[in-house]
Amino acid sequence: MKIAINELLYAVSTALDHVEAHFIGVTTYHAQRVAYLSALTGKALGLESDELFFLATAALLHDNALFQFFADAEDWNKMKLTEKEMEQHCIEGEENVKGLPFYPQIKHAILYHHERADGKGVFGKKTDETPLFARLIHFADTLDTAFNVREVSEEKYHKLLQYVQKECDSCYDRECAEAFCQAISYEALSRIAGDNIRLVLEDTIPPREWDITSDELMQFSDIFARIIDVKSQFTSKHSIGIAQKAYKMAAEYYNWEQDIAQKLYFAGALHDIGKLMVKSDILEKPGRLTADEYTEIQNHAMGTYRILSSVTGLEDITNWASLHHEKLDGSGYPFGKDASELGKEERLMACLDIYQALVEDRPYKSGMPHLKAIGILKEMADKGQLDAEIVADMDTYFDRRQEVSD
């Protein structure tokens, strides 16, 4: 199916930025700023349109594995990657993108994005051993982290240029440093101050529509699911659990076409992406929520809708993912839709979301056995909230396979 790959990448990077900001304090839209700075510098070096697109793609995904190293931290605010963890973050980040359709064009850009010109980086690669894309991303990544160019002043701009000149031939290679100083004026840097980065990036990077296969879509799914689930230790396997169960019900029980099953996997992986915008202390509160806290939790479904609806070509998936809290009697959220507005895919996702939440272990509770969880779903179906036929199908399928905790 054809999707606007730029828009999907912006959604991925937005998710990454929210998690990264939560864990280590790098400000929101970091990945998009790195893509912008990389692209402008690359353009000054003579990169063509296609090359700029792939450079920006690698930049948007450069920290896709970083969150994995903060999942088990007792105090995220004090976390700092060891040299070995930094190396592993680069290796796993590269591994994560190998199945994506544009991997050949970005090969080793993520793996080597922490290399220094003097060879004192993660893998000890010097300038002539490091791909240009990796050098450009390293340049933009370290500058944004050190100077937070989301907030720009003339004083900060001049300090940044002085820093680049000081670090030339040690942290940064001369070719990239000179191109950066040529390309990034104070006006160019000011364009990405605040929250306007996506609009600026869309003007800078040529749009690209991609005929993506279902297998490639599932590669994106797994990246999304890991990002979403690591945000909260209380739901550490929730999204991937929904994705797996949605795929199995569609492919193995209903015998739906493979592309539908894989789209449902994607919808399951992304259904809670809106929770990245919810405060962690609310997500992880084991006790009863206040009315205001419950309202904020409910807003995550609208957040999911807003993020995914910005991607052209994901219209079905957007509905399946964002309507998982709707009820047949109209009592759900975020839109209050009723049975006449909810197809079988949306109904299945609603049932699976509740079932998964009941059977999975969380720090404050053990997962329910299958029969007890299904009993709760049946009660909700009797009240007209869930699809009774789907609940019965799930009872048959999951009881037969004894899948009560994955």
Side-chain angles (χ1 to χ4, degrees):
M1 69 177 188
K2 288 188 176 181
I3 64 170
I5 195 71
N6 300 60
E7 295 169 358
L8 181 57
L9 291 169
Y10 296 146
V12 175
S13 68
T14 298
L16 284 166
D17 285 342
H18 275 85
V19 176
E20 190 172 359
H22 169 73
F23 283 147
I24 58 174
V26 178
T27 52
T28 306
Y29 310 120
H30 167 68
Q32 293 182 33
R33 289 197 299 277
V34 171
Y36 172 77
L37 295 174
S38 299
L40 284 190
T41 309
K43 190 173 183 179
L45 289 171
L47 296 186
E48 300 294 337
S49 177
D50 281 353
E51 294 174 303
L52 291 174
F53 169 79
F54 292 121
L55 169 60
T57 293
L60 289 168
L61 296 174
H62 76 279
D63 274 341
N64 76 79
L66 184 63
F67 57 85
Q68 297 172 22
F69 297 93
F70 295 87
D72 298 323
E74 293 182 4
D75 187 345
W76 292 323
N77 293 322
K78 296 180 181 179
M79 274 294 294
K80 186 176 181 179
L81 293 186
T82 65
E83 185 175 342
K84 183 63 178 177
E85 287 171 334
M86 188 70 78
E87 175 184 324
Q88 200 62 29
H89 134 67
C90 294
I91 292 171
E92 293 189 16
E94 181 85 8
E95 193 65 31
N96 283 343
V97 301
K98 281 186 175 178
L100 298 179
F102 40 75
Y103 177 69
Q105 289 83 3
I106 65 171
K107 185 176 180 180
H108 292 166
I110 293 173
L111 180 64
Y112 294 136
H113 80 274
H114 280 301
E115 298 310 290
R116 292 168 52 98
D118 58 11
K120 295 181 180 179
V122 172
F123 297 101
K125 302 286 186 182
K126 293 185 177 181
T127 297
D128 59 356
E129 301 172 289
T130 306
L132 177 60
F133 282 11
R135 288 187 277 136
L136 288 167
I137 293 169
H138 166 69
F139 198 105
D141 181 29
T142 54
L143 284 181
D144 184 51
T145 302
F147 287 90
N148 181 16
V149 296
R150 187 182 186 186
E151 299 173 0
V152 183
S153 67
E154 289 197 42
E155 181 182 4
K156 179 185 283 190
Y157 173 69
H158 289 300
K159 285 183 177 179
L160 186 152
L161 292 182
Q162 291 171 4
Y163 178 80
V164 170
Q165 292 169 357
K166 176 185 174 184
E167 295 295 324
C168 192
D169 295 325
S170 55
C171 185
Y172 307 128
D173 66 274
R174 186 166 296 276
E175 181 183 31
C176 288
E178 291 178 351
F180 176 85
C181 293
Q182 173 190 337
I184 310 297
S185 64
Y186 174 65
E187 289 70 27
L189 202 62
S190 298
R191 291 189 71 199
I192 58 174
D195 297 333
N196 295 322
I197 179 59
R198 177 162 175 175
L199 293 177
V200 176
L201 197 56
E202 288 174 348
D203 287 340
T204 306
I205 307 301
R208 184 68 62 93
E209 193 174 66
W210 202 287
D211 195 0
I212 193 169
T213 69
S214 296
D215 287 340
E216 292 165 348
L217 194 64
M218 290 180 74
Q219 289 280 342
F220 274 108
S221 303
D222 290 338
I223 293 175
F224 265 120
R226 287 195 293 273
I227 296 167
I228 296 163
D229 286 344
V230 81
K231 175 72 184 289
S232 172
Q233 59 176 323
F234 282 13
T235 57
S236 61
K237 296 182 180 178
H238 182 72
S239 297
I240 200 65
I242 297 272
Q244 291 169 346
K245 287 179 171 61
Y247 177 83
K248 291 172 182 176
M249 283 293 295
E252 298 179 9
Y253 189 84
Y254 291 125
N255 292 316
W256 290 345
E257 293 182 2
Q258 186 70 2
D259 68 324
I260 298 297
Q262 289 174 318
K263 285 183 180 181
L264 278 166
Y265 184 97
F266 191 70
L270 272 67
H271 80 288
D272 271 348
I273 193 171
K275 282 187 176 177
L276 296 176
M277 288 65 172
V278 178
K279 295 177 182 177
S280 295
D281 56 350
I282 295 177
L283 286 178
E284 299 180 354
K285 184 176 180 178
R288 184 180 295 275
L289 298 174
T290 66
D292 288 343
E293 290 170 340
Y294 186 65
T295 298
E296 185 168 347
I297 286 286
Q298 286 183 313
N299 287 340
H300 83 272
M302 180 60 77
T304 295
Y305 177 81
R306 286 173 177 162
I307 291 172
L308 298 184
S309 62
S310 69
V311 183
T312 305
L314 293 186
E315 289 76 15
D316 287 343
I317 291 171
T318 296
N319 285 332
W320 302 345
S322 61
L323 303 183
H324 65 278
H325 283 296
E326 300 289 352
K327 300 290 188 292
L328 301 186
D329 61 1
S331 64
Y333 60 88
F335 300 112
K337 292 182 179 291
D338 61 25
S340 66
E341 302 170 282
L342 299 170
K344 190 161 187 177
E345 293 89 352
E346 290 94 346
R347 299 178 185 209
L348 175 62
M349 293 297 296
C351 293
L352 288 173
D353 182 61
I354 297 169
Y355 180 80
Q356 179 67 22
L358 294 173
V359 301
E360 67 190 8
D361 290 330
R362 296 188 179 180
Y364 58 89
K365 76 171 184 72
S366 297
M368 288 184 185
H370 167 79
L371 288 177
K372 187 174 181 180
I374 283 294
I376 292 174
L377 267 67
K378 287 181 176 178
E379 290 177 4
M380 296 180 71
D382 290 341
K383 294 177 183 177
Q385 296 177 326
L386 299 179
D387 189 305
E389 183 177 331
I390 291 176
V391 172
D393 292 340
M394 288 170 54
D395 186 16
T396 299
Y397 181 74
F398 292 128
D399 185 47
R400 184 178 70 216
R401 292 179 58 88
Q402 298 183 341
E403 292 185 353
V404 297
S405 62
D406 67 357

